[in-house]
Amino acid sequence: MVTVEEIRNAQRSKGPATILAFGTATPSHCVTQADYPDYYFRITNSEHMTDLKEKFKRMCMFLINYIINL
């Protein structure tokens, strides 16, 4: 019969443990959702697509209003 101690030892590493990474879900910069369309089109060098930018702004504003009314 297998003891609890043998099971625990089998589940643990035999040598020093290695931590692969630590991270956070918060980015180093923060862009509000209302400002995101301008930010996105600026960093992708797509500011000349004014029709698409306006549509994207409307979508973001719709989502902001939807979230507020939940």
Side-chain angles (χ1 to χ4, degrees):
M1 179 168 233
V2 180
T3 65
V4 174
E5 186 176 338
E6 290 174 339
I7 294 172
R8 287 185 183 162
N9 286 337
Q11 292 175 345
R12 293 189 179 147
S13 63
K14 303 267 187 266
T18 302
I19 298 173
L20 298 177
F22 277 114
T24 62
T26 307
S28 59
H29 62 284
C30 187
V31 179
T32 63
Q33 191 166 1
D35 297 333
Y36 187 74
D38 293 322
Y39 168 76
Y40 179 79
F41 278 83
R42 186 177 68 247
I43 65 168
T44 59
N45 294 325
S46 302
E47 291 185 348
H48 62 283
M49 299 181 182
T50 56
D51 294 338
L52 188 59
K53 185 176 178 181
E54 290 303 317
K55 182 177 183 178
F56 192 47
K57 280 184 178 182
R58 286 193 310 269
M59 290 169 54
C60 287
M61 291 308 295
F62 173 79
L63 288 174
I64 290 170
N65 291 333
Y66 179 77
I67 291 170
I68 290 172
N69 293 325
L70 282 180

